[in-house]
Amino acid sequence: MNIRPERTEDAAAIREILVAAFPSDAEADLVERLRRDHELALALVADDGGRLHGYAAFAKLVVDDGERVYRAVGLAPVAVTPLRQRLGIGGALIREAHGLLAARGIPLVFVLGDPNYYTRQGYDPDLALPFDCVYAGPYFMALRLNDSAPKSGKVRYPAAFDQLG
């Protein structure tokens, strides 16, 4: 399985993965809005000989701590085709992305999801507690990628998230 950045020609296969992995088209539609609005910081696919089996997108976020505005990202969504789930593909996509994002100087990653899964990927619900966000709560988690990450502040997601049902 080769993990690589998404390409323009991957869009239809990515939509198929997202529609198959989630109960509605909401995540697929979100990704298309993020792409259209140029709000994806990073998007990776798991490619097995030209057939895509996984996808992870990281939206551009900002964190304003009252003194400074920081770049950050939000993992949304990550998906694996149903027949390939529980084989480590999602975790591999996330780990690869964390390395690439850290190399780009992104200090902080947020995610909204199942703590049982995302804590295994390094995310911490307690780290997200001091951040003010529309998604704040027990499923909102953060991962610090470097020491320049803010400790608190207001997290702003792109407008594409406003259309989630």
Side-chain angles (χ1 to χ4, degrees), residues 64-152:
D64 185 343
D65 72 356
E67 294 179 18
R68 182 174 163 202
V69 175
Y70 297 82
R71 293 182 309 149
V73 297
L75 171 54
V78 62
V80 176
T81 55
L83 292 177
R84 297 287 181 103
Q85 291 177 1
R86 302 193 190 292
L87 299 176
I89 296 170
L93 284 161
I94 292 168
R95 285 188 301 279
E96 178 72 14
H98 289 165
L100 292 169
L101 292 164
R104 294 179 185 180
I106 301 294
L108 197 56
V109 184
F110 291 94
V111 68
L112 182 69
D114 180 0
N116 290 322
Y117 178 76
Y118 288 104
T119 55
R120 293 193 317 259
Q121 308 305 324
Y123 291 89
D124 183 349
D126 292 336
L127 188 62
L129 286 174
F131 291 92
D132 178 21
C133 180
V134 67
Y135 301 112
Y139 298 101
F140 189 59
M141 294 163 272
L143 171 68
R144 191 177 316 277
L145 295 178
N146 67 48
D147 292 337
S148 72
K151 307 269 191 277
S152 64

Side-chain angles (χ1 to χ4, degrees), residues 5-22 24-45 52 54-60 74-80 157-165:
E6 77 169 6
R7 300 178 188 137
T8 303
E9 62 268 20
D10 296 331
I14 290 167
R15 184 168 184 86
E16 286 178 23
I17 292 167
L18 294 168
V19 169
F22 290 100
S24 77
D25 291 358
E27 286 78 6
D29 294 343
L30 171 64
V31 166
E32 289 174 1
R33 287 191 304 272
L34 289 167
R35 249 192 232 118
R36 177 197 69 213
D37 297 344
H38 306 285
E39 291 288 357
L40 284 174
L42 180 65
L44 300 177
V45 296
L52 303 187
Y55 179 72
F58 292 80
K60 296 175 185 176
L75 171 54
V78 62
V80 176
Y157 275 74
F161 285 84
D162 296 343
Q163 297 174 36
L164 289 176

